Amino acid sequence: MDPDYDLVVVGAGVVGAALAREFSLTGLRTLLVDAGDDVGCATSKANTAILHTGFDAKPGTLESTLVSRGYRLLADYAAAAGIAVEPIGALLVAWDADQLAALDGIDTKAKKNGYLETRAVGASELRELEPDLGHGAVGALAVPGESIIDPWSPPIAFATEAVRNGVTLQLRRRLTSVEASDARTLLSFETGPNLTTRWLINAAGLGSDLVDEMFGHRRFHITPRRGQLIVFDKLARPLVNHILLPVPTAMGKGVLIAPTVFGNVMLGPTAEDLTDRRATETTAEGLATLLEKGRRLMPKLLDEEVTATYSGLRAATEHDDYQISVDEKQRYVCVGGIRSTGLTASLAIAEHVRSLLAEVGVDCELIRESKPPAMPNLGDQTPRPYQDATRIKSDPEYGRIACHCERVTRGELRDALVSTLAPTSVDGLRRRTRAMNGRCQGFFCAANIQVEYPVVQASPGGNS
Amino acid sequence: MNDSIRSTQTDVLIVGGGPAGLTAARELRRLGVARVTLLEREAETGGIPRHCFHPGYGLRDLRRPMNGPTYARRLSDLAIAAGVDVRTETTATRWSDSELGLLVTSRLGVETIRATAVILATGARERPRSARLVPGDRPDGVYTTGELQQAVYLHKQPVGKRAVIVGAELVSFSAALTLAHAGVEVVSMLTEQPRVQTFPTVPIALGLRQRFPILTDTSVTRINGDRTTGRVIGIEITGPPGSRTIGCDTVLFTGDWIPDHELARLGGVRIDPASGGPLVDTSLRTSRPGVFAAGNLVHPVETADLCALDGKALAATVADFLDHGPGSADVLEVQAGDGIAWVSPGLLRIGAPAPHGRFTVWPAQALAGVRLEVRQGTRVIKRKRLLDGAVPGRPIHLVSDWQSGVDPAGGPVCVWIRGN
Ligand SMILES: Cc1cc2nc3c(=O)[nH]c(=O)nc-3n(C[C@H](O)[C@H](O)[C@H](O)COP(=O)(O)OP(=O)(O)OC[C@H]3O[C@@H](n4cnc5c(N)ncnc54)[C@H](O)[C@@H]3O)c2cc1C
Ligand SMILES: Cc1cc2nc3c(=O)[nH]c(=O)nc-3n(C[C@H](O)[C@H](O)[C@H](O)COP(=O)(O)OP(=O)(O)OC[C@H]3O[C@@H](n4cnc5c(N)ncnc54)[C@H](O)[C@@H]3O)c2cc1C
């Protein structure tokens, strides 16, 4: 008897969704499963939303290659799907002589990574570029390619394309064990029926080492590295023109200030090594650290109101690179340890994994053209429906603003509920429309919206 | 996409259909202004009182006590009867680039409305949990009063079973009433202040029967959520007896107001950094000629009747502006001295008494018995004793009878308070 699927992708974060999309263009019968109630609802929803050039990756690593390739792939995909990207560039800001000296090393590294557009910026030019920076900045390295992106839409777009190409999506399905035999692997889940597959790809993010263990491996251990962030009000947006990066330290990239495509400014992330894989709370110490750093970086930012705080967990491992490998005997691919660049690299990771499978003889030629779905524009740089007179004329629902802070119209809320990947939670509706995500956090609109645009919860294992 | 942007003209354009905006609009018509256009982004005018189903509205303006929705409807009816062009579900989104006017979005499309005068009356909102930087999990069951009251009264939504109220201002007791109505037990109310932030008679006047402990000098240090159900299961607090956890499934963040000042700021009017609202003079003029502001946008927050009386006073200013132009720009600063966060209006226009004869003084800290003084230089021009002390969250009303004693050439006036 044939297995139920040719391929099961475990984990529907941005990486798993990109994988499902990639294989939806092949002839493989593919299933995408996730333990959560939406795609992209773990680490992929809580990051700093930067489309990295890969200038500062460790040269020679797979991560370095996939980030720079993924940068181009995602920029193109985003343009085709209408996902907001703003190529505003980054400035690595040095605050003392040591840091200034370190910029040379970073510049060399960037060149090794194939990124050639860096440029040294002197103190006075820096002040012109970023007049609201705190006192004491002595210079910077400009990385013009660094961009900001809407982080919520990519996983939804990838999964939408996959589902439209015939991939099955099942939510609330936590994989609990696998039994690999000759021709197929039996999968058991916390909820819903067992099923069988020929191949399995582990894109389980923070759970990727656990899934790896199900196949008998002990190759890496995930240490959740928490990053807390503070999002400031849109009125802060004029203060910041670039992504303002600190000079990196051993613990990571440090605390940055960056605009978001939604028109806010964010400050973060922290880097805290934890053991609890679900510890996505914010802490008093974490927020205090950010405020203290922020006060030095840009004192005026702290005069603005805070819109949101959140935290995400990077899937860090003891290794310096992504953990991607093929276990041909068990027909298993591990795509683990995708820690702090996975959004950028997602499409390149998927492309890479398909080539690995082709190498071991899996018939996964592309048989379809990619058709990126048209995603609702959540970015502030291109007109949103409420600003579009022509659109309102053709459908007045786009002129009826329901969420005032984020200016989300009834037309957009209605569309979200009938989209291919309709939200199954209020949070899902937030990520698809921005509604209730603004400065009032629902004071004005949340009660209305939740009653008038009710989401339907995902049933365990139910097809979407 | 801009091919179909219409452009219209009015005499006075009012943004915000709460008590302040509705009253200003009505009075402007009464004073004979031909075209008064009022924009309200919600489906109905009335502002916050639309969802405050308790008595206590209308006392000082309509001179009749009524509940919030009745008051909201009454003010709306009066404005329409007076001939105000009321446009609901219409949002002012930004200023027009050239002349004085605003871009608005409604189901009719995008349009520019130009005006001789613009009144901002966009109100205030409560700071939500995130803006207060309360750490912890992010479960469901965390509300502001605004959201709670709409959920309970306008949509009959279930809330929870056991709630903690953060804040002990007037609005906090209004929230307690809403919870009682929804069958939710109030486990406790807490405030970082050393005392309740309103008058002791308020709960009784509101008809609040439920009793619950009020923890003073207490703050929330963490919100605990259940990771499986995604619902609040408790909060961690620290107060005089130390730290502890209170079990609850609902947390209400009340008070701690911030004006809805986006348009004001985008319009380049000067902002009072302490209140967050536009800095206005006693005629409610902002720093931008032709732009005026009233209500809780300028003093977050006062009761609705005083906002309405702002609107009434402002109508006279604006009518005069339409006839005679901006008038003298001579103003004196009214500074917030010791113990005071802000005073509104923050500028004194010579010869113009404060709207409805009161300044709002917002205490910066809690003090037991209080002496309040108004000084110009070293000269004391007003002294007042406040037997009931001062506490942030409860405005002090400073009657403006001292204004005639101000020397127009004497420099800024300073208001300060001191405990006994
Ligand atoms: C603070 C922070 C900032 C970051 N900034 C950036 C940035 O600016 N740019 C960038 O490119 N990247 C950034 N990243 C990294 C990026 O967010 C991640 O690399 C990316 O989201 C990882 O995607 P993923 O699909 O591997 O993991 P996830 O999004 O975590 O998805 C994994 C999924 O697997 C599911 N799962 C786990 N176990 C099981 C199981 N047993 N059965 C079924 N499902 C399971 C989970 O429910 C989850 O949905 C940042 C990360 C953090 C934390
Ligand atoms: C829970 C609660 C209980 C209260 N209890 C009492 C009480 O018992 N007695 C009492 O007197 N007062 C009470 N108050 C205070 C009272 O409701 C306010 O003082 C009053 O509503 C303020 O009036 P306003 O016109 O300044 O603003 P609001 O009532 O806030 O009205 C502002 C209006 O402007 C609109 N708006 C904002 N921006 C735009 C835009 N860009 N375009 C179009 N429209 C816009 C808003 O939708 C809103 O309708 C209470 C307040 C709360 C929150």
Side-chain angles (χ1 to χ4, degrees), chain A residues 10-17 33-36 38-52 173-176 189 203-208 211 214 225-229 256 269-270 310-315 322 335 338-345:
Chain A
V10 179
V14 69
V15 173
V33 293
D34 198 284
D38 199 358
V39 301
C41 70
T43 300
S44 298
K45 77 170 180 197
N47 50 48
T48 45
I50 294 170
L51 184 57
H52 294 297
R173 290 278 260 165
R174 178 179 296 281
L175 181 71
T176 49
F189 299 88
L206 292 163
S208 55
V211 173
M214 293 179 198
R225 182 170 293 165
R226 181 165 59 204
Q228 304 189 40
L229 289 125
L256 59 84
T270 57
Y310 65 92
S311 88
L313 300 171
R314 308 169 188 88
Y322 292 170
V335 186
I338 315 293
R339 11 173 221 182
S340 51
T341 48
L343 169 59
T344 306

Side-chain angles (χ1 to χ4, degrees), chain B residues 181-252:
Chain B
H181 175 89
V184 183
E185 179 199 350
V186 178
V187 184
S188 59
M189 178 182 271
L190 54 92
T191 169
E192 292 183 358
Q193 297 300 329
R195 49 179 293 196
V196 168
Q197 299 156 272
T198 181
F199 294 100
T201 47
V202 160
I204 303 153
L206 287 175
L208 187 63
R209 285 193 196 87
Q210 207 192 348
R211 293 199 179 277
F212 41 81
I214 301 178
L215 313 174
T216 51
D217 287 311
T218 301
S219 52
V220 190
T221 53
R222 193 184 196 288
I223 293 187
N224 298 333
D226 182 305
R227 285 175 183 169
T228 311
T229 61
R231 182 83 197 182
V232 172
I233 48 172
I235 63 169
E236 292 174 19
I237 60 167
T238 137
S243 302
R244 62 187 171 104
T245 303
I246 310 182
C248 61
D249 59 15
T250 305
V251 189
L252 208 59

Side-chain angles (χ1 to χ4, degrees), chain A residues 276 278 281-282 291 304-307 309 383 386-387 389-390 399-400 404 407 439 442-444 446 448, chain B residues 1 4 41-42 89 93 105-106 125-127 130-131 135-138 147 150 155 222 227 260 262 265:
Chain A
D276 182 353
R278 302 204 294 173
E281 73 263 30
T282 52
L291 291 178
E304 299 295 340
E305 288 290 313
V306 168
T307 294
T309 62
Y386 82 89
Q387 296 166 305
T390 313
R400 301 176 68 199
H404 301 297
R407 308 238 166 100
R439 55 172 72 100
F443 178 95
F444 295 113
N448 268 327
Chain B
M1 56 156 265
S4 38
R41 61 190 184 183
E42 301 292 345
E89 271 195 308
T93 60
T105 291
S106 72
R125 63 178 190 274
E126 296 165 296
R127 278 198 179 80
S130 51
D137 304 318
R138 297 212 301 163
E147 179 180 351
Q150 295 187 57
H155 300 291
R222 193 184 196 288
R227 285 175 183 169
D260 251 329
E262 183 181 28
R265 285 186 59 181

Side-chain angles (χ1 to χ4, degrees), chain A residues 240-260:
Chain A
V240 189
N241 301 318
H242 299 82
I243 302 162
L244 300 173
L245 302 170
V247 177
T249 65
M251 254 316 258
K253 293 181 178 170
V255 171
L256 59 84
I257 292 178
T260 71

Side-chain angles (χ1 to χ4, degrees), chain B residues 271-287:
Chain B
I271 300 288
D272 176 345
S275 70
L279 187 64
V280 292
D281 65 20
T282 40
S283 292
L284 299 174
R285 303 181 300 177
T286 71
S287 63

